[in-house]
Amino acid sequence: TKNVISIIIEGTKKLIKDQSVVSVEKGECVCIQSGHCIMQERASDSNKYRSLLLFFDDNTLEEVLQEYRVELTQSALIE
């Protein structure tokens, strides 16, 4: 499964799943599991949208979490 970290440089990204909406603003980032939500990008007031996308698979995520001893809570995940 491919996952992505999206770092918002300019504009806003909205993630929509079921009845919930998460808004990610300039300077924020979000980790998204493949196929689990709809994404909507909105341009800034200057009509620009820019983001940096980092794609990785489940194995890479598990390795990083283990190496740096990161524990995720349910509230930190968009499933």
Side-chain angles (χ1 to χ4, degrees), residues 6-78:
S6 179
I7 303 168
I8 309 304
I9 298 169
E10 191 167 359
T12 303
K13 179 182 293 270
K14 289 191 179 187
L15 305 167
I16 304 159
K17 182 181 187 249
D18 299 326
Q19 300 300 318
S20 63
V21 177
V22 175
S23 183
V24 186
E25 306 291 329
K26 177 180 176 179
E28 297 178 334
C29 68
V30 65
C31 183
I32 307 160
Q33 189 176 14
S34 177
H36 286 271
C37 66
I38 297 171
M39 292 185 283
Q40 177 186 53
E41 289 86 15
R42 294 203 171 206
S44 65
D45 292 338
S46 62
N47 285 330
K48 293 182 182 177
Y49 176 82
R50 296 187 306 151
S51 68
L52 176 63
L53 302 175
L54 305 168
F55 292 92
F56 54 94
D57 61 23
D58 289 343
N59 291 335
T60 302
L61 176 60
E62 288 176 18
E63 290 172 10
V64 169
L65 294 177
Q66 287 176 0
E67 181 174 339
Y68 293 98
R69 295 183 173 100
V70 175
E71 293 184 30
L72 298 178
T73 62
Q74 189 65 29
S75 63
L77 302 173
I78 297 174

